[in-house]
Amino acid sequence: MARILAIDYGKKRVGIAVSDSLQIIAGGLATVPSGELFKFLQDYFAKENVETIVVGLPRDMKYNPSESMQYIEPVVKGLKRRFPDKKVEYFDERFTSVLAQMAILESGVKKKERQNNKGLVDEISATIILRDYMESKRNTIS
């Protein structure tokens, strides 16, 4: 089986998570500057078999797309154009940043380390998006 890769896209940084090859476990992979996303993915796809790219879909509390969609839509179009062999899907990302920050606090990461590693929230957010996506797929199969 191939891996699933999830993206939490931001204007400055992109959090990336990936599943294991059996698509059971979601784990953080990296945080990369937004401008380096396509190069990073090209290099990663050359080494690993990935079948699906899941992109966090930002929505407001009324389920409407948030204003950050204006930055994400061109990225998704670029993903589809550059990697036509990959399935690209959106998945609701509401509350993932809040959940990621809570997870970091609960894990005992020191305040100074949290301040120095802002990308940690992005990577954990991508992991939450991927975990929830995989769980939703399991629930639709059952």
Side-chain angles (χ1 to χ4, degrees), residues 31-91:
T31 302
V32 298
S34 298
E36 297 175 19
L37 175 62
F38 291 114
K39 172 73 170 116
F40 178 89
L41 293 177
Q42 183 177 344
D43 292 345
Y44 186 76
F45 295 157
K47 295 181 281 189
E48 296 291 342
N49 184 16
V50 173
E51 70 179 12
T52 304
I53 303 169
V54 179
V55 180
L57 174 63
R59 293 184 175 177
D60 63 20
M61 295 304 293
K62 296 180 181 179
Y63 288 91
N64 298 315
S66 74
E67 62 184 60
S68 57
M69 275 302 287
Q70 65 184 322
Y71 308 110
I72 295 172
E73 272 186 307
V75 171
V76 169
K77 287 178 183 175
L79 290 169
K80 290 177 179 180
R81 188 176 62 252
R82 292 175 191 230
F83 308 110
D85 61 321
K86 314 285 184 224
K87 182 167 70 170
V88 179
E89 293 187 48
Y90 283 110
F91 192 78

Side-chain angles (χ1 to χ4, degrees), residues 77-142:
K77 287 178 183 175
L79 290 169
K80 290 177 179 180
R81 188 176 62 252
R82 292 175 191 230
F83 308 110
D85 61 321
K86 314 285 184 224
K87 182 167 70 170
V88 179
E89 293 187 48
Y90 283 110
F91 192 78
D92 190 354
E93 72 167 20
R94 284 176 305 147
F95 306 116
T96 56
S97 293
V98 173
L99 292 171
Q101 289 171 341
M102 287 172 48
I104 292 167
L105 286 172
E106 289 175 6
S107 71
V109 174
K110 303 276 188 249
K111 184 177 182 179
K112 187 159 184 93
E113 187 177 342
R114 290 194 313 263
Q115 291 170 336
N116 291 338
N117 189 358
K118 296 179 193 276
L120 186 59
V121 170
D122 302 314
E123 188 175 323
I124 293 173
S125 292
T127 305
I128 293 169
I129 291 166
L130 180 56
R131 180 200 65 198
D132 292 351
Y133 172 83
M134 292 190 314
E135 186 65 30
S136 76
K137 291 299 178 191
R138 280 188 212 104
N139 289 338
T140 57
I141 293 170
S142 306

